[in-house]
């Protein structure tokens, strides 16, 4: 090996450390550069006043300037905000419905093998059905009203929600269940206090991914035209297509990932707050959730007596025991 | 430490149980085969028989030694009543004269892997068992803080931490507090200090001796360290290689001095060498057998 060789590998290691860390600033700068590069390419292939001289014709791809010139039309005349919110509402409703139905079923399937076998055909079917084929079917069943869009999202997602929940529950280590049992938990408590909370980080991760997919599915339902105008981003694309406005289609295509990204960031912030053991931080949401759980437990304990022998515990008894222990608790502390 | 939170009588679900009357733990001809009846059937332990009696006011501390895979965890989980180890393929496992039918809070267990519940604070981890038994929050948190202090953690700074903010040693302290707060009659410890550094390990041994004196439970302590077993134990069980059989029961001197001191004494070293010889002889016999 020559000197110059090791110099090269030094440089490589500095710029491309395998799984190494780079600073936030350089990471942002690199990302901005990548966006700029794309726009520059876009500009380059669509430049020139005389449209015949462009590398890509304006019919297929308008130039950036032409595209952004139609923004105000999209914003005011086509009511971009309202349509975006319409689309969002449909996805959120359909997805929430899928979660409300799918998560409990998945918890049951993950906990009890017979339920898993019972649901297995349904999951297999639901996951492999071509999503696009569902659109006309939901139309036959539910017409073209809001209901159809929401139920389309529900149908497209629910099998995945069940499957992902089942997997997350199955992935919780047996040693946690064993621990719960040796601490006297019953089966119901083992599920609600151990299995479900410990499965949550994994479950939340896959639901976040699925939500992104659902956001793509809704375009399908909105842009396949089966009746009157029903609003939503997919409908906007359809309208622009009809009016021959390529520019607006490209604008909407640019806007959708931005909206999806923003939603994803919000979901990720929630995730960070809920699972400090996975993402670090103080877990402010987890603290709130635990507090609510405590309060519910407090109400419950007003109605139920502890099971023997633990119904003998009193505050006075504990205080007496502590006084007697007084001096013995200092050794063994502070060694770690 | 005495009993006020709960009387010894109340802890026993057997009203006739007299101290020293029925054995605390009894194995009668216990064998365990995993996947029984299938092609991958595997016999983990074979014909294990032993009895641990309750010494009044002083539980017995049993160290369990044996080569890897000989069935030590299997024995502990049989006592705990955990599946798939429970039920035994043949023989009976009894605790306080009754066959084990499943897990319960009267038999606490501390595992080698850190099994703290990640979504609960230290205090909520320690009070988990009491919560499951419906003890009100006020009482269980009071007792929880008491036990956090007992295992040498700092109540003020540690009680609201989450497990991922703790060191390995601190997590095992939480696991011990979580188990002892329920005042189990039998404590099963499966290499609880296996992942700790030597100094922390000595500290934890001393802590365990101190706590055990107070709770007066019968302890089964699995370890790969002969020193640890000989130091902590009143008695040491040596198991043969797989399928595990109980080949030696050695009575040893109980731990009445700090671990770091006692483990340097000549008499202690002699006992360790003796147990080491037993294990080596067992190993030699096994090798001779298979040739
Ligand atoms: N659930 C199971 N199914 C099938 N075989 C098992 C199961 N659990 C343990 N075994 C086998 O039984 C034998 C004894 O296992 P066990 O875990 O009791 O050993 P051990 O003495 O605790 O070992 P170690 O010291 O490595 O922890 C091992 O050979 C193991 O492969
Ligand atoms: Mg083991």
């Amino acid at each position: 090996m020559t000197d110059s060789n090791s110099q090269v590998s030094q440089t490589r290691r500095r710029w491309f450390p395998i799984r190494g860390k780079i600073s936030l600033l350089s990471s942002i700068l690199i990302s901005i550069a990548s966006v700029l590069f794309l726009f520059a390419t876009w500009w380059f292939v669509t430049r020139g006043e005389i449209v015949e001289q462009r590398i890509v014709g304006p019919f297929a791809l308008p130039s950036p300037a032409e595209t952004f010139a139609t923004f105000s039309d999209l914003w005011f005349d086509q009511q971009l905000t309202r349509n975006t919110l319409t689309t969002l509402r449909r996805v959120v409703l359909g997805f929430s419905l899928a979660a409300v139905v799918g998560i409990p079923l998945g918890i049951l399937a993950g906990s009890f093998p017979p339920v898993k076998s019972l649901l297995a055909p349904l999951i297999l079917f639901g996951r492999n059905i071509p999503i696009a084929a569902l659109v006309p079917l939901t139309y036959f069943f539910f017409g073209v009203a809001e209901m159809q869009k929401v139920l389309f999202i529900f149908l497209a997602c629910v099998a995945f929600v069940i499957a992902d929940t089942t997997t997350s529950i199955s992935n919780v280590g047996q040693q946690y269940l064993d621990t719960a049992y040796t601490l006297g938990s019953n089966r119901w408590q083992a599920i609600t206090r151990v299995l479900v909370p410990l499965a949550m980080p994994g479950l939340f991760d896959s639901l976040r991914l699925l939500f992104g997919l659902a956001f793509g599915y809704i375009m399908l339902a909105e842009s396949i035209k089966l009746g009157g105008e029903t609003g939503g981003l997919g409908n906007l694309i359809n309208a622009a297509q009809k009016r021959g406005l390529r520019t607006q289609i490209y604008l909407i295509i640019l806007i959708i990932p931005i909206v999806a990204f923003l939603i994803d960031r919000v979901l990720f912030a929630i995730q960070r707050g809920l699972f400090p053991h996975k993402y670090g931080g103080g877990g402010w949401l987890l603290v709130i959730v635990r507090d609510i759980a405590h309060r519910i437990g407090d109400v419950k304990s007003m109605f139920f007596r502890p099971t023997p022998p633990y119904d003998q515990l009193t505050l006075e008894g504990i205080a007496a025991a502590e006084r007697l222990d007084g001096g013995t608790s200092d050794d063994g502390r502070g060694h770690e | 430490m005495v009993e006020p939170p709960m009387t010894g009588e109340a802890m026993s679900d057997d009203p006739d149980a007299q101290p020293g009357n029925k054995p605390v733990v009894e194995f009668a001809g216990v064998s365990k085969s995993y996947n029984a009846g299938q092609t991958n059937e595997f016999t983990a332990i074979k014909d294990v028989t032993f009895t641990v009696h309750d010494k009044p006011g002083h539980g017995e501390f049993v160290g369990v030694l044996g080569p890897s895979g000989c069935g030590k965890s299997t024995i502990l989980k049989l006592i705990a009543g955990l599946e798939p180890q429970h039920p035994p393929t043949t023989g009976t496992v009894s605790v306080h004269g009754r066959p084990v039918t499943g897990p319960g809070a009267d038999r606490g267990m501390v595992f080698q892997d850190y099994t703290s519940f990640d979504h609960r604070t230290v205090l909520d981890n320690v009070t988990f068992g009491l919560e499951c038994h419906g003890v009100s929050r006020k009482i269980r948190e009071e007792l929880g803080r008491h036990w956090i202090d007992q295992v040498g953690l700092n109540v003020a700074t540690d009680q609201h931490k989450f497990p991922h903010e703790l060191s390995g040693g601190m997590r095992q302290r939480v696991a011990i507090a979580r188990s002892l707060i329920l005042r189990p009659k039998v404590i099963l410890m499966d290499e609880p200090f296996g992942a700790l550094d030597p100094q922390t390990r000595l500290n934890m041994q001393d802590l365990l001796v101190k706590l055990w004196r107070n709770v007066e439970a019968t302890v089964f302590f699995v370890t790969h360290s002969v020193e640890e077993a000989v130091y902590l134990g009143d008695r040491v069980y040596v198991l043969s290689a797989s399928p595990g059989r109980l080949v030696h029961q050695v009575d040893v001197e109980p731990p009445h001095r700090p671990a770091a001191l006692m483990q340097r004494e000549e008499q202690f070293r002699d006992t360790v060498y003796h147990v080491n010889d037993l294990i080596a002889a067992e190993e030699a016999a096994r090798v001779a057998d298979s040739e």
Side-chain angles (χ1 to χ4, degrees), chain A residues 289-304:
Chain A
V289 170
R290 296 279 332 141
D291 192 57
I292 295 172
H294 277 151
R295 278 161 209 280
I296 296 174
D298 290 349
V299 174
K300 262 200 220 156
S301 65
M302 294 197 299
F303 296 101
F304 296 101

Side-chain angles (χ1 to χ4, degrees), chain A residues 40 103 105 132 161 245 329:
Chain A
I103 292 177
L105 284 177
V161 175
L245 290 173
S329 60

Side-chain angles (χ1 to χ4, degrees), chain A residues 21-38:
Chain A
K21 285 214 180 348
I22 59 172
S23 76
L24 184 66
L25 184 69
S26 32
S27 141
I28 290 175
L29 285 180
I30 293 172
S31 302
I32 289 178
S34 122
V35 173
L36 285 181
F37 176 76
L38 280 178

